[in-house]
Amino acid sequence: MTVHFKQDEPDTRNLLDQGSQGVIGTAMSRPEGLAKVTGTAPYSAEYRFDDCLVGVLVTAPFTKGRITGIDKETALAMDGVVAVIDDSRMTARPAQGGAGEAPQQSPRQICYYGQPFALVVATSFEKARHAAKHLPFSYEADDVSDIPLDPETAETEAGDGGMQAGDLAHAMATAEHAVDVSYTTMGHASAAMEPHAAIAQWDGGRLTVHASLQMPNYNISELADALDLTEDKVRIVSRYVGGGFGSKLGLSEETTAAALAAMELGKPVKVVMSRQQVFQSIMRRSESSQRVRLAVDAEGRLTGFGHEARVSNLPGEEFAEPVLQSSAFLYAGENRLLALDVARIHQMTAGSVRAPGEAIGMPVLEAAMDCLAEEAGIDPVELRLRNIPEKDPGKGLPFTTHELADCLKKGAEAFGWDSGPRKPRQNRDGEWWIGTGMASAARVHNVAEAKARVTLNADGTARVQSDMTDIGTGTYAILTQIAAEMLGLDPANVMVELGDTDFPRGPGSGGSWGAVSIGSAVVIACDAIRQSLAKKAGIDADDLKLKDGKLQGSQPRSLSELLDGGNMSEEGHYEPGDISDDYTSSSFGAFFAQVRVNRHTGETRVDRMLGAFGFGRVLNEKTARSQCLGGMVWCIGSALTEALHFDPVDGHLVNCDLAEYHVPVHRDVPDLEVMLVESRDPAASAVQGKGVGELGMCGGAGAIANAVYNACGARLFEFPMTPDKVLADMPD
Amino acid sequence: MKPFDLQRADSLTHASQLCSERNAKPIGGGANLVDLLKLEVERPDRLVDINRLPIAGIERMDDGGLRIGALASNTAVAVDDDVRSQWPVLSRAILAGATQQLRNRATTGGNLCQRTRCYYFTNIDQPCNKRAPGSGCGAIDGVARLHAVLGTSDQCIATYPGDMAVALSALDAQVEIASANDRHRTVPVREFHRLPGDTPWKDNVLEQGEVITAVTLPKPVSGRQIYRKVRERSSYAFALVSVAAIIDMADGLITRADLAFGGLAHKPWHDPRIAEALIGKSPHEALFDKAADILLEDAQGYGENDFKIPLALRTLKAVLAEATGVQL
Ligand SMILES: Cc1cc2nc3c(=O)[nH]c(=O)nc-3n(C[C@H](O)[C@H](O)[C@H](O)COP(=O)(O)OP(=O)(O)OC[C@H]3O[C@@H](n4cnc5c(N)ncnc54)[C@H](O)[C@@H]3O)c2cc1C
Ligand code: SF4
């Protein structure tokens, strides 16, 4: 049976707190952890199938134009080559997250440098790679001087998220204190460790694809649409994903190509992108230029709030990095202006990279707030506390739980924040200037429709099934805990099976909605089982106390007795209702950082960093903390080192490997401290929790930037703050 | 990867012989060469595996110097007791490079011959005079962040990316080279790498068929030894600028100033005029400025790498200050 729960109202039943097992929220280790660290958890490219052929994508070495001919004969004459696939159904760019339909096809129309347009299939990887490099083809390339590549000069269109209220210009002119500051941020890559990979099998009637994807629930529709198949003819399996960070939200080019090859050749075909291909043809996070205007009265209360941004994307792509998303509600100010523009340029698709929007919007806003705090002579923590609005200042809606003040206060105390007057260049340790900075964190809360099947067996075991994925985040762990808590089982007796579209449709992993959405579906399914058990036991469901596989009470009864040796299975279906019309919901937090800046070289290193985060219920203390830690590592990268560099002549990405795209290394990451400020948010989801997957990187780069200023006096308006930029601005 | 023929050399003579035929290349640890083979930046007809040759040892020489076999791994050299106590700048430079895993693999000979990290060199669809002579230089009008500011030519502005060779240059080490017909020659490290000029495809003075057999260090000298590498992230990144220094003082005067620089040129940069300017002087900031002026007199930036000029100046001054105890 399917039990459907549409959340139009806060869910005050608080079902998870009625469990008796005592495992929810605990720091349980991942059930699949041992398999992962011993290399026995199979990732998509690691399944072994007899007769598996290997395909390598061929990519365009120019920016825009048309492939006019492919000399298949020559390639087919090469050692081991079985086929050259140039089917017009190949996908030429990744689908945006949640698209649910095929992305741009017609691969011969080249829109960006590095676009895949053909697949060479051979008997071994080496042979396929060699032939792919030497596949002769002809093309007509547009003159590079005619191709828009620079967002500064390209044509722009208005993106979503704009709003205007009152008169910002007037507020600025009449303010007691005001700042008007402009920033730039450079593009980012997801840089997941596992490259994009797929193995496709076609049995003549049905396609099975093992692929590294975050959202099989959408990817199945995207792939079926691309191939002109009905969805019942497609199965996607994605049990383990070696990091996605947005880059695997949508169907990507290797999966479609593998599928088409398998269908044409009748044999399994494996396609794994090279690191360079991942960088060049998967999503980038758009660069941005942003302007922030803030006006306060004599008490430091915001009267004007402006945040305008320009991002970029390929012509025709709807996605525009939602830079202003949290600016819409984070701080007060009756005169408001938000505006987003999208420049149309021919670089690879811009799309979701972890925390799209806030990842670059929040650091900029928080850096501007630091300028304002200095201008107004108010402690930065205090300035934020004074400007937490009662209601969403744009929509006038109440918030669901609001943890910002709590996080600011608790974080400041734990960090040892000095609220005295702040001046740069006050602390030195030898060659190093030392300083501190802080920032708020905010990430809009998303939930998505989700289904999961829970089966309780007479032997006291349970099984949870959904096509939801675990992209390294801990889904296997938290669903084990939720089912164990609700059904009163030892977590060792709960088996979670994920990432297979033959199971009920989950929400996919993206937008930080995974845990709370699929968790809600599992709670609903378990609740239905509890209701049936209560009926069988002849008691009220509210009095049902399940623990260690037994119905507790004066006369404990085992589950098998209750189930008469059979099993009980329910499908939980969670659907977010129109509650979002009634509330604004966000996760909140605060970052505090101490950095050191070398006075000779401008090198910046983070000494310590603390984040306090509030996102409703903590489902698993360990996996939640890990998400926050990972987010803070991303803060360090986006503040100091991570940047995509594009050639100014033809726009190709030049630093497309992990040696030259600088994510932080261990030595860049000091002791990070995470505080979880827990609450229950009944309006956010049926688990009373909000999203946490991205929160840890929403603003922290601003805390680091502010600390750089406090340390050495370089007020920078460009991210990342590499030594060259720090030096250029550092007073002597 | 272009198909190639793999031969295992069982003697030095055999190795030079194999290397002198066809378009052959020796392979050491493969930490650089294998990546370039996969990208088809390197397309040799033959690889000569030299790993079985007995040239991995590190031994003291009669004159007090040290001979480091070409196959000694970066790790072995960096942790060698003699190196750490007598030539610490070498150990420090090696440890500032790459990662532990790469250093375990990398050989002394291979590290000296590692190729530039220029983005255009490694992308075979882009112009590059070093990889494809006559095709142009993508970097000059492109992303030149990593590129050289000294000794460039209008053909190529690439840098030599390594760290170890910068220390070897400061130490005035020698490179021992064997070639076919059992001929041997010795070249100072300072003359081993070349400037790009009109032949940017020639990184160094090795001729086809020549194999590095060892690097020798002169007997230890007194003084402070410093290797300072400036980089964006604190490990696993190539130098924006690096300085290797051996500085000695007596009676308040500088008596030795052996300096070499990485990240600035197509070779580890050594300018004898800097030592001349420093030796015999008492250290102070204006003197350091003078040294930096000499170093950077002819420096030319290409836009994105302009910052290397002030950065080199500041790094040099910081190193000299550290070595002499002067406060800046
Ligand atoms: C991601 C990454 C980061 C790195 N970071 C740094 C860094 O920060 N600093 C740094 O210094 N290095 C760095 N390296 C480079 C690394 O140190 C070199 O790749 C390594 O030292 C090469 O040594 P090898 O023995 O593996 O050479 P190989 O790859 O085997 O060979 C390199 C070249 O040397 C030639 N060669 C090898 N042996 C001989 C010989 N005996 N005689 C003549 N020619 C020979 C080969 O033909 C080839 O052309 C990095 C490398 C990578 C991949
Ligand atoms: S700088 Fe040298 S290596 Fe780089 S593209 Fe130009 S010629 Fe090639």
Side-chain angles (χ1 to χ4, degrees):
Chain A
M1 260 205 12
T2 299
V3 195
H4 180 207
F5 173 67
K6 186 164 176 227
Q7 187 162 12
D8 292 320
E9 300 289 334
D11 181 9
T12 48
R13 293 172 299 168
N14 214 352
L15 292 168
L16 260 178
D17 283 327
Q18 293 174 11
S20 313
Q21 193 64 27
V23 293
I24 197 68
T26 62
M28 191 187 93
S29 291
R30 292 150 198 260
E32 83 287 11
L34 189 65
K36 281 183 172 169
V37 298
T38 53
T40 49
Y43 286 80
S44 295
E46 296 174 335
Y47 289 86
R48 290 183 191 265
F49 299 109
D50 291 342
D51 284 344
C52 189
L53 299 168
V54 182
V56 169
L57 290 164
V58 188
T59 62
F62 61 98
T63 309
K64 186 168 178 287
R66 219 158 50 83
I67 303 291
T68 50
I70 296 176
D71 177 3
K72 293 191 189 183
E73 296 308 312
T74 303
L76 287 168
M78 293 171 84
D79 185 28
V81 175
V82 176
V84 177
I85 309 290
D86 65 338
D87 196 295
S88 60
R89 291 172 292 173
M90 281 178 70
T91 43
R93 56 178 81 161
Q96 295 288 351
E101 58 183 32
Q104 176 82 31
Q105 293 177 283
S106 2
R108 285 186 178 216
Q109 288 297 335
I110 304 301
C111 296
Y112 61 96
Y113 192 107
Q115 177 186 317
F117 64 87
L119 181 80
V120 175
V121 184
T123 50
S124 78
F125 168 67
E126 286 75 12
K127 288 171 180 168
R129 181 177 58 186
H130 183 64
K133 262 216 154 91
H134 297 281
L135 173 74
F137 60 90
S138 53
Y139 61 92
E140 284 167 10
D142 292 6
D143 188 337
V144 285
S145 57
D146 296 337
I147 306 171
L149 294 171
D150 180 4
E152 200 63 50
T153 52
E155 276 180 34
T156 60
E157 291 165 23
D160 291 342
M163 72 87 71
Q164 191 181 351
D167 184 348
L168 177 61
H170 184 255
M172 289 291 290
T174 54
E176 185 74 23
H177 303 285
V179 295
D180 180 351
V181 278
S182 295
Y183 295 80
T184 58
T185 68
M186 291 179 79
H188 295 153
S190 296
M193 200 159 5
E194 180 201 26
H196 294 58
I199 304 177
Q201 295 163 283
W202 173 248
D203 68 6
R206 192 163 188 240
L207 181 74
T208 302
V209 189
H210 287 79
S212 186
L213 293 164
Q214 292 178 233
M215 307 211 292
N217 52 318
Y218 287 110
N219 307 134
I220 188 173
S221 313
E222 290 150 6
L223 185 57
D225 184 28
L227 302 174
D228 298 322
L229 293 175
T230 50
E231 285 180 24
D232 59 323
K233 298 277 188 290
V234 178
R235 176 181 173 209
I236 293 178
V237 181
S238 199
R239 288 170 62 198
Y240 299 108
V241 179
F245 309 115
S247 73
K248 295 167 182 169
L249 287 176
L251 174 73
S252 46
E253 297 93 322
E254 82 297 333
T255 300
T256 325
L260 285 163
M263 289 166 74
E264 185 171 319
L265 301 171
K267 284 187 178 173
V269 176
K270 163 153 81 174
V271 183
V272 181
M273 282 196 182
S274 68
R275 183 65 66 191
Q276 288 80 1
Q277 288 176 339
V278 173
F279 269 89
Q280 291 193 333
S281 69
I282 298 295
M283 303 291 185
R284 65 183 166 99
R285 183 199 307 288
S286 172
E287 81 301 320
S288 74
S289 69
Q290 303 182 41
R291 178 184 186 193
V292 180
R293 281 181 282 175
L294 302 169
V296 285
D297 62 17
E299 276 78 54
R301 294 201 161 70
L302 281 161
T303 53
F305 183 101
H307 194 169
E308 295 151 272
R310 189 203 61 224
V311 297
S312 68
N313 208 340
L314 278 167
E317 285 294 321
E318 272 180 32
F319 179 89
E321 179 87 14
V323 176
L324 315 173
Q325 206 158 244
S326 282
S327 296
F329 58 79
L330 186 59
Y331 297 126
E334 54 278 18
N335 300 291
R336 302 181 81 79
L337 174 69
L338 302 178
L340 183 67
D341 281 334
V342 199
R344 293 300 175 192
I345 59 167
H346 286 269
Q347 286 172 353
M348 80 285 283
T349 321
S352 295
V353 174
R354 195 177 189 184
E358 283 91 335
I360 55 174
M362 281 295 298
V364 162
L365 173 58
E366 291 302 293
M369 284 293 279
D370 202 60
C371 297
L372 179 67
E374 182 179 45
E375 177 73 29
I378 300 174
D379 173 67
V381 176
E382 179 57 28
L383 177 68
R384 286 159 174 90
L385 286 170
R386 280 186 206 173
N387 285 291
I388 298 174
E390 284 290 304
K391 287 185 171 182
D392 178 331
K395 295 185 186 154
L397 296 176
F399 291 101
T400 68
T401 53
H402 199 305
E403 299 89 347
L404 181 55
D406 228 14
C407 290
L408 285 165
K409 288 180 197 156
K410 289 186 172 144
E413 192 188 336
F415 182 79
W417 179 258
D418 177 358
S419 59
R422 292 171 64 72
K423 246 178 83 184
R425 294 158 86 92
Q426 299 302 301
N427 287 307
R428 224 174 93 179
D429 172 12
E431 293 188 355
W432 299 86
W433 290 113
I434 296 183
T436 56
M438 58 77 53
S440 299
R443 171 71 177 156
V444 291
H445 168 60
N446 296 302
V447 268
E449 186 167 2
K451 291 180 186 164
R453 172 159 295 283
V454 178
T455 306
L456 178 64
N457 300 310
D459 62 2
T461 63
R463 189 174 290 269
V464 178
Q465 294 169 317
S466 167
D467 76 358
M468 174 60 181
T469 49
D470 184 324
I471 59 172
T473 43
T475 318
Y476 284 107
I478 56 141
L479 297 188
T480 300
Q481 284 167 287
I482 291 173
E485 188 67 31
M486 293 290 291
L487 301 176
L489 301 175
D490 181 330
N493 291 332
V494 177
M495 168 77 155
V496 177
E497 295 178 313
L498 299 176
D500 186 332
T501 53
D502 280 356
F503 297 145
R505 291 289 153 89
S509 298
S512 299
W513 66 57
V516 292
S517 306
I518 190 66
S520 293
V522 172
V523 162
I524 291 156
C526 290
D527 184 50
I529 291 175
R530 287 174 61 99
Q531 304 278 353
S532 308
L533 287 174
K535 203 180 262 168
K536 284 209 169 185
I539 56 174
D540 201 83
D542 287 344
D543 301 329
L544 192 73
K545 195 159 183 274
L546 297 170
K547 191 162 190 281
D548 296 330
K550 293 197 178 66
L551 174 63
Q552 306 289 326
S554 47
Q555 286 167 321
R557 293 167 70 186
S558 74
L559 280 175
S560 61
E561 197 186 326
L562 269 180
L563 291 170
D564 290 335
N567 63 22
M568 214 178 250
S569 188
E570 298 282 359
E571 185 173 289
H573 177 189
Y574 175 78
E575 192 183 346
D578 52 20
I579 193 164
S580 57
D581 296 344
D582 303 334
Y583 294 93
T584 290
S585 189
S586 173
S587 299
F588 292 97
F591 297 98
F592 297 84
Q594 177 181 311
V595 308
R596 51 181 57 220
V597 182
N598 190 284
R599 54 188 283 261
H600 300 306
T601 62
E603 288 164 292
T604 302
R605 310 286 180 242
V606 178
D607 272 348
R608 64 190 182 104
M609 197 168 170
L610 178 142
F613 303 105
F615 46 93
R617 184 195 296 276
V618 175
L619 292 166
N620 176 319
E621 206 214 294
K622 186 186 277 186
T623 57
R625 184 178 296 279
S626 293
Q627 286 301 301
C628 297
L629 286 173
M632 286 160 74
V633 173
W634 280 58
C635 292
I636 297 173
S638 56
L640 300 178
T641 56
E642 288 185 49
L644 295 174
H645 292 278
F646 293 92
D647 178 75
V649 177
D650 67 7
H652 79 277
L653 177 66
V654 298
N655 56 333
C656 38
D657 60 37
L658 294 172
E660 297 301 340
Y661 179 78
H662 286 170
V663 300
V665 295
H666 281 93
R667 210 170 166 215
D668 296 318
V669 181
D671 260 354
L672 303 176
E673 201 179 322
V674 171
M675 290 178 75
L676 304 177
V677 179
E678 191 171 1
S679 64
R680 299 282 180 268
D681 190 337
S685 63
V687 296
Q688 293 80 42
K690 301 186 282 197
V692 62
E694 296 158 310
L695 179 62
M697 67 168 303
C698 297
I704 294 171
N706 299 339
V708 167
Y709 172 67
N710 182 245
C712 74
R715 185 66 96 178
L716 299 185
F717 297 95
E718 292 165 276
F719 290 87
M721 302 184 170
T722 43
D724 49 320
K725 294 178 190 150
V726 175
L727 267 192
D729 242 49
M730 188 156 67
D732 255 332
Chain B
M1 200 183 300
K2 191 180 105 175
F4 53 81
D5 142 48
L6 178 67
Q7 299 273 353
R8 185 166 284 150
D10 40 44
S11 72
L12 258 180
T13 317
H14 188 210
S16 333
Q17 185 61 41
L18 288 169
C19 285
S20 64
E21 295 162 5
R22 306 175 72 192
N23 172 21
K25 276 205 155 260
I27 180 162
N32 184 219
L33 185 51
V34 172
D35 277 353
L36 296 177
L37 290 172
K38 289 195 239 173
L39 295 166
E40 295 201 16
V41 171
E42 297 273 21
R43 312 185 72 241
D45 297 316
R46 169 187 289 170
L47 281 191
V48 180
D49 179 1
I50 56 172
N51 282 283
R52 296 222 174 148
L53 301 183
I55 49 170
I58 303 175
E59 61 201 46
R60 264 331 247 265
M61 299 188 299
D62 295 341
D63 66 356
L66 194 74
R67 173 180 277 109
I68 300 167
L71 287 174
S73 74
N74 277 181
T75 301
V77 178
V79 305
D80 183 84
D81 285 339
D82 279 337
V83 173
R84 284 172 43 156
S85 59
Q86 310 293 314
W87 297 275
V89 68
L90 178 58
S91 177
R92 288 175 191 146
I94 292 172
L95 294 175
T99 62
Q100 184 67 57
Q101 296 89 331
L102 283 158
R103 295 192 296 266
N104 290 343
R105 196 85 215 135
T107 65
T108 301
N111 187 300
L112 269 178
C113 298
Q114 66 175 291
R115 310 215 62 191
T116 185
R117 310 300 291 196
C118 172
Y119 308 123
Y120 300 84
F121 174 70
T122 48
N123 182 341
I124 61 167
D125 295 319
Q126 289 289 321
C128 170
N129 289 325
K130 185 185 276 299
R131 174 177 33 77
S135 61
C137 170
I140 287 180
D141 293 321
V143 181
R145 199 177 151 67
L146 305 173
H147 290 71
V149 293
L150 290 171
T152 54
S153 75
D154 58 5
Q155 297 276 306
C156 177
I157 60 170
T159 48
Y160 170 76
D163 292 296
M164 181 189 81
V166 180
L168 291 176
S169 173
L171 289 165
D172 198 12
Q174 309 287 312
V175 185
E176 294 186 353
I177 299 167
S179 54
N181 314 323
D182 286 334
R183 282 190 294 120
H184 292 266
R185 61 173 177 142
T186 301
V187 177
V189 164
R190 292 176 184 169
E191 287 161 28
F192 178 76
H193 296 96
R194 299 177 63 261
L195 290 180
D198 290 336
T199 52
W201 52 93
K202 287 189 181 170
D203 289 356
N204 53 48
V205 300
L206 286 182
E207 301 289 344
Q208 183 75 46
E210 287 190 317
V211 176
I212 299 172
T213 54
V215 169
T216 59
L217 307 181
K219 70 176 196 303
V221 295
S222 60
R224 287 199 63 175
Q225 304 201 4
I226 296 172
Y227 188 73
R228 177 131 180 184
K229 177 175 179 181
V230 183
R231 42 191 157 169
E232 287 175 13
R233 62 181 175 189
S234 58
S235 169
Y236 195 41
F238 289 91
L240 296 172
V241 169
S242 71
V243 181
I246 305 151
I247 310 279
D248 203 13
M249 309 242 301
D251 302 328
L253 302 180
I254 297 173
T255 55
R256 174 179 292 279
D258 296 332
L259 289 151
F261 303 85
L264 298 180
H266 199 257
K267 59 183 291 187
W269 193 259
H270 172 78
D271 185 337
R273 295 175 304 157
I274 298 176
E276 279 164 30
L278 292 170
I279 288 173
K281 307 277 166 45
S282 87
H284 54 93
E285 187 167 359
L287 180 69
F288 302 164
D289 277 319
K290 203 168 139 203
D293 281 349
I294 296 172
L295 170 70
L296 298 163
E297 196 171 59
D298 295 323
Q300 185 198 343
Y302 290 84
E304 286 207 40
N305 68 347
D306 290 351
F307 73 89
K308 283 191 173 183
I309 299 171
L311 183 60
L313 172 139
R314 300 178 73 114
T315 312
L316 170 57
K317 286 176 66 181
V319 167
L320 291 174
E322 183 186 343
T324 57
V326 167
Q327 291 294 320
L328 291 184

